[in-house]
Every structure is written in structure tokens, then in C-alpha cells.
Amino acid sequence: MPVVSRFEIESRQYLDEQGRACGAMPECARDLATLTELYRQMVLARSFDQKMLALQRTGQLGTFASGVGKEAIDVGVVSAMKPEDALLVTYRETTAQLARGVSLLELLIYWGGDERGSNFAVPRGDYPVCITIASHCCHAVGAAYAFKYRKQPRVAVCMLGDGATSKGEFYEAMNGAGIWRLPIVFVVTNNQWAISVPRAAQTAAQTLAQKAIAAGIPGIQVDGNDVVAVRDVALEAMERARSGGGPALIEALSYRLADHTTADDASRYRSADEVVAAWKREPIGRLRNYLLAQGAWSRPEEEALLKSCSEQIQAATQAYLAHPPPQPAQMFDHLHAVLPAAWAWQREEALDGSSHDGSDHTR
């Protein structure tokens, strides 16, 4: 029988678990100034993540999805983007949003339940957090289609989790991106768990990267704890997309070191030994070791960074706690460009606090 086609999935890694170079390093690994800045972003994000958890546990923040363990994926991908590109994220990409310029205060406001936090000053072209699983994949295809139609050299970057690759919206988005050769890069964080469902119970596919093949899209797997590898792969994919080469899918291997959200207890479905083993592969210590070995980082700089992060986060927290809460009428302000008449009277009542049964406003 003739073989009509063959496929393979490349896997890329440059730093081992101890932060030592394994094999020839890419061009971006020699840019120690950029890697140092990425390290700073990762440390700030993890410190902020810890503060967010503390605020939630003390009733000062809503349910929060920790991103601890995926910092290298977020900053590595964002570092390959240009300001005019569009980032579409789920609820676990706080680090990516920080790296794109969303402020600590804006993120606190959003996770405090105030939609005004989505109206971030920078970057205006990025999309708000998508809570529903995989639906933003279709939004990303729409954005990329618009970029191509307008002949703009922009890329839509869609970040999602491994569980989202089992949703129909993901496959529909991949199919559209492939057939239209859109400037879009899908970044799948394979953190091994979709809430309590392990990777092995989600799909029989050997890799998640190979799910791109059926859509005619190149897929690649990368060590998501290795920021050098993530940045290298993302730079290639985005340059290809920006120059008209079409979409790509990146599967970044990682591990969800925290609970799914603050409403979850992961100890009920995974072992402590598994989590301990995963902590040995985490990305921040790996990059720190590499920078120390290259003479690009020092213990005094580490202490100064931690102090600076603490001060920034404390200032943002105080500003958040002092921020006036949203008024009831604001629940109507983020639904429509022009509020339908059937709801307009309700908004007026919310503004003046009066009661009305609404019987004469039925439409």
C-alpha cells in the first residue's frame, strides 16, 4: 500500500532542569539583557500570584486561577510579540497580561469582580479574559482574519489550556485558521490537568501539537519550563505568521503547580509526590541558574528584585483596596453599545435606588 503522507512533531528544549545548556543554544539565548528582563517579569508575576491568593483567602478578592508554574510560557510568548499584535487569553494568563503592560492595579480590580479592570490602558488591542473554555479560539480567528483582510502585519496570539483542545471551538478555529492561512499562533499550555481530569483521560493523541496536522497547520512541542525554548519557538512562529506563512500551534509542556482555582482542592485527585517532582522542573529557578552561570545575575540583584516586587505589589494592593467599588447600575454598562429600552428603565432604577415592578415597561 502506498503511503500518501508522513508527519512528525519536533520537541525543543535548551535548558535542563538545573538551568544548564543542553545542546547548541539559539540566537535569543545570547541576549542576556532580554533574558534578565524576562526573569524579572517572571519573579514579579509569581510574587503577585502569591498576593492574589492571600487576598482571596481573606475575602478581599474573588475566585482566582493561579498561574504558578507557567511563567516561562507566558513571558516567553509575549516577548516574541509586537505591540500591535493581539493577545487572547484565558483566566490563567495573568503573567502574560502583566508582560503585555496590564497593570497590577487593573488586574486586581478585575479579579475583585469589577469589569472596569478589563478596560486596561495598555495594550488596547488585546482582548479581555475569556472564562468560557475555547470560545476565544474562534474570536482569535476572527481577529486574524481581519488582520489579513486589512493587509496589516499583525498576529493574533491565542493562549489556551490542554483541556480546551478537546472542545469543538478549538477544532473549528484550527480548521478556519488553516484553510485561510491566517496570521495566528495557538499556544497550548499542557499543564497535565483539566481541573481534575488528567491529560491521559482527555485525549488519546500522543501529543497535543499533532492536533494541528489535520488542519494543515504546523505543530511543535516545547519545554514550557524553559523560557529560552519558548521564546525561540514563539519568535519563529510569529515571524512566519506575520510574513504570510500562515498559522502555527505550540504545545508547551508544563505542570499546574497550584489548585485549578481557589475553589478547588487538587490534593483530592493528584498525589503530593507528583507535585513535589513537578516543582523540581519549575521555570524560575531554572532561568536563575542559567543567568547566574552566565554572570548576568547575582544574589544582591535577587534581593533587590524581591524587595522591588514586594513594594510594587503592596502599593497596587493599597490602591485596589481604596478603589471605589462599582455601583449597581454599572452591570448594564458592558452589555451593549446602545442599551435596549427593556433594560434602560432598570438601569435608571438602579441609579436612583427606587423600586418598580416594571409592569408598564414590558416589551
Side-chain angles (χ1 to χ4, degrees):
M1 297 287 289
V3 175
V4 296
S5 188
R6 295 184 186 276
F7 306 98
E8 61 182 15
I9 297 297
E10 176 190 344
S11 182
R12 199 171 301 183
Q13 178 191 29
Y14 295 114
L15 298 179
D16 66 14
E17 294 180 14
Q18 287 73 44
R20 299 171 301 203
C22 47
M25 298 292 279
E27 180 72 24
C28 66
R30 291 189 280 275
D31 186 355
L32 295 177
T34 295
L35 290 183
T36 300
E37 175 56 28
L38 298 188
Y39 178 74
R40 291 178 178 276
Q41 293 175 11
M42 291 164 67
V43 172
L44 173 62
R46 183 167 293 183
S47 298
F48 185 53
D49 194 289
Q50 294 169 347
K51 184 64 174 181
M52 298 276 268
L53 291 174
L55 288 170
Q56 194 282 330
R57 295 307 189 199
T58 54
Q60 300 175 91
L61 203 70
T63 301
F64 175 66
S66 171
V68 64
K70 68 185 297 287
E71 294 91 352
I73 301 172
D74 286 21
V75 302
V77 168
V78 167
S79 71
M81 297 177 66
K82 293 188 176 181
E84 62 270 22
D85 293 337
L87 179 66
L88 296 93
V89 298
T90 74
Y91 43 77
R92 206 179 301 280
E93 275 77 49
T94 302
T95 300
Q97 290 185 289
L98 279 173
R100 283 287 283 172
V102 181
S103 73
L104 297 171
L105 176 58
E106 288 166 336
L107 288 166
L108 284 165
I109 291 172
Y110 171 79
W111 287 105
D114 189 338
E115 277 297 335
R116 289 176 294 178
S118 293
N119 188 25
F120 31 79
V122 178
R124 298 298 291 175
D126 286 1
Y127 285 57
V129 171
C130 182
I131 301 297
T132 51
I133 306 300
S135 62
H136 69 307
C137 296
C138 298
H139 305 160
V141 166
Y145 192 97
F147 298 161
K148 183 172 182 178
Y149 181 80
R150 297 168 181 167
K151 296 181 172 54
Q152 297 173 325
R154 302 171 64 188
V155 177
V157 178
C158 181
M159 303 188 73
L160 58 147
D162 47 290
T165 67
S166 297
K167 293 293 295 296
E169 297 96 320
F170 168 76
Y171 289 102
E172 292 160 8
M174 293 284 288
N175 191 59
I179 196 66
W180 292 320
R181 294 181 61 78
L182 298 180
I184 183 171
V185 176
F186 297 95
V187 181
V188 178
T189 296
N190 182 356
N191 66 22
Q192 314 304 321
W193 289 94
I195 310 183
S196 59
V197 181
R199 158 72 174 81
Q202 294 178 46
T203 177
Q206 184 177 354
T207 70
L208 300 183
Q210 73 195 62
K211 293 190 175 189
I213 294 173
I217 295 174
I220 185 171
Q221 189 180 86
V222 65
D223 183 345
N225 291 323
D226 176 358
V227 72
V228 176
V230 174
R231 176 171 162 79
D232 183 52
V233 168
L235 283 168
E236 287 183 6
M238 289 184 208
E239 178 55 35
R240 180 176 180 273
R242 202 182 311 280
S243 61
L249 184 148
I250 299 170
E251 176 191 5
L253 297 177
S254 183
Y255 190 87
R256 196 192 75 214
L257 293 171
D259 297 329
H260 175 69
T261 69
T262 49
D264 176 44
D265 178 7
S267 66
R268 297 175 61 187
Y269 53 82
R270 64 185 190 186
S271 70
D273 289 343
E274 179 181 321
V275 179
V276 169
W279 270 105
K280 295 178 181 178
R281 302 189 295 272
E282 66 88 22
I284 292 182
R286 187 181 302 199
L287 180 56
R288 182 194 305 119
N289 289 343
Y290 178 74
L291 292 174
L292 286 169
Q294 300 301 310
W297 195 246
S298 66
R299 298 301 178 186
E301 287 175 304
E302 181 76 12
E303 294 173 2
L305 173 60
L306 293 175
K307 182 175 184 293
S308 173
C309 289
S310 178
E311 291 172 348
Q312 292 178 64
I313 293 167
Q314 185 60 25
T317 300
Q318 292 303 315
Y320 161 66
L321 295 175
H323 193 266
Q327 298 304 305
Q330 291 179 2
M331 73 177 78
F332 300 97
D333 295 343
H334 305 284
L335 299 173
H336 299 273
V338 178
L339 193 65
W343 295 347
W345 66 267
Q346 298 179 48
R347 184 179 186 280
E348 291 303 314
E349 288 190 353
L351 282 170
D352 62 27
S354 63
S355 60
H356 198 291
D357 62 12
S359 58
D360 59 342
H361 295 278
T362 303
R363 295 292 185 269

